[in-house]
Amino acid sequence: MAAYILRRLLLVPVTLFGVMLVNFALTQFLPGGPVEQVLAQLEGEGDVLAGFTSNGDPIDAGQESEYAGSRGLPQEFIDELEREFGLDKPPFERFVTMMGNYLRFDFGESYFRDIPVFSLVAEKLPVSISLGLWSTLIVYMISIPLGIKKAVNDGSPFDTWTSGAIIVGYAIPGFLFAVLLIVLFAGGSYYQIFPLRGLTSDNWEELSAIGKVLDYLWHLVLPVTALSISGLATLTLLTKNSFLDEIGKQYVITARAKGLSERRVLYGHVFRNGMLIVISGFPALFIGLFFGQSLIIETLFSLDGLGRLGFEATLQRDYPVIFGTLFAFSLVGLLVGIISDLMYVLIDPRIDFERRG
């Protein structure tokens, strides 16, 4: 197992290189770069894409400069901006330089915030980790017992009404459910029970250790609930179907024929095999909660996390921040995949990835 983990760890930098290469190549074809963003701000246009046609071509591109267009800005100013952003060099050279810096964990500085990207990512990462980790834990803590109970009581009234509730929860988009929670419990129209913004209160520093923990959890209730609702439905049904499939197999019938109790059959035989497919879904669920829905939830609850940072950087064409957040997301996803394999072995020691490799 140690050799297998070592191989997986050695593949991490190779995979990261591929991810960064593909995305770097894609950014070369995006209309509107950081230079255009600066010019748009200087002109008070507010939107970098205002100077582009619907097909992405610069307006008045045939004039002296594709950046200046009809604005009458001196070419020397444009050239200075290009040098400052490092865009005066060929793309291949810029990519090699960027990856060389990444090997030293030097992610550069934000074009528009004058802050090292590493500091920005480190500042925002705890927010995204909090949302993704707590949501995943809650989804698993609720979905696995519920899915097992539904499998054992398949076709019962309990199974029927819980399936109905799950389908309704799955059908409601996460952002719409978040808005509903805000309206009901965050002072929207009814009750002011939970805070609407941030992860901590203004007086957090003055609270005791227990008070800080409670305040932190209090702020997480609504965003984590909104994030968890769709994952609950998916994982509950996955768990139920997995256990139903195992319960009908011959080894379960044999175990019952030997006189083993239902609890012993369920948790001594079925659980280990039924959990394999559930564990296999852990990376997808965590990454989905961590990446996919984080932007909307962070925006609705005024949480300053990686999703919001990456979105704002994309609008501004702040390339160092875009690639920094992409690197962080990719690294977390790869490490979660390795953790998932370790959980496989923990659930069923018969699995030997090293021998299979």
Side-chain angles (χ1 to χ4, degrees), residues 145-265:
L146 180 59
I148 294 174
K149 187 172 181 60
K150 284 174 64 63
V152 173
N153 298 279
D154 184 41
S156 67
F158 172 81
D159 180 44
T160 302
W161 71 259
T162 52
S163 294
I166 287 172
I167 292 172
V168 170
Y170 184 77
I172 300 176
F175 74 91
L176 187 59
F177 189 69
V179 172
L180 178 63
L181 292 176
I182 291 172
V183 171
L184 292 177
F185 303 113
S189 300
Y190 294 91
Y191 304 103
Q192 179 67 59
I193 300 176
F194 299 100
L196 181 57
R197 56 176 58 244
L199 277 185
T200 57
S201 301
D202 295 335
N203 64 335
W204 191 78
E205 294 293 341
E206 303 172 5
L207 299 175
S208 63
I210 296 178
K212 290 180 179 179
V213 172
L214 294 177
D215 182 72
Y216 165 75
L217 295 176
W218 182 47
H219 280 76
L220 278 175
V221 170
L222 294 188
V224 167
T225 302
L227 264 179
S228 303
I229 189 67
S230 61
L232 280 170
T234 303
L235 189 61
T236 300
L237 294 179
L238 178 65
T239 304
K240 175 191 173 182
N241 293 333
S242 176
F243 275 76
L244 271 179
D245 184 56
E246 292 297 324
I247 289 173
K249 291 185 176 179
Q250 183 62 43
Y251 74 90
V252 176
I253 299 174
T254 304
R256 286 171 174 166
K258 290 181 178 179
L260 296 179
S261 65
E262 284 297 317
R263 183 177 183 83
R264 179 71 181 276
V265 171

Side-chain angles (χ1 to χ4, degrees), residues 262-275:
E262 284 297 317
R263 183 177 183 83
R264 179 71 181 276
V265 171
L266 183 62
Y267 293 102
H269 295 77
V270 176
F271 184 82
R272 178 173 294 177
N273 296 322
M275 282 298 294

Side-chain angles (χ1 to χ4, degrees), residues 46-119:
D47 185 358
V48 67
L49 299 180
F52 287 79
T53 60
S54 59
N55 62 1
D57 296 328
I59 296 175
D60 296 321
Q63 296 191 17
E64 179 183 7
S65 169
E66 63 174 332
Y67 299 121
S70 59
R71 304 178 191 190
L73 295 171
Q75 184 62 35
E76 293 79 9
F77 177 72
I78 305 296
D79 294 339
E80 178 60 30
L81 280 179
E82 286 186 328
R83 284 192 295 271
E84 182 177 346
F85 293 142
L87 300 177
D88 56 328
K89 301 174 182 177
F92 176 78
E93 183 179 347
R94 285 189 278 124
F95 179 75
V96 171
T97 302
M98 181 183 74
M99 295 309 298
N101 292 334
Y102 273 32
L103 289 176
R104 303 192 302 271
F105 292 96
D106 178 10
F107 302 109
E109 287 193 357
S110 168
Y111 287 159
F112 303 101
R113 305 194 188 202
D114 233 6
I115 301 174
V117 174
F118 188 87
S119 299

Side-chain angles (χ1 to χ4, degrees), residues 15-37:
T15 308
L16 285 174
F17 178 85
V19 170
M20 302 303 293
L21 176 61
V22 171
N23 285 274
F24 182 87
L26 290 176
T27 57
Q28 307 309 306
F29 300 99
L30 291 177
V35 174
E36 291 93 330
Q37 180 68 38

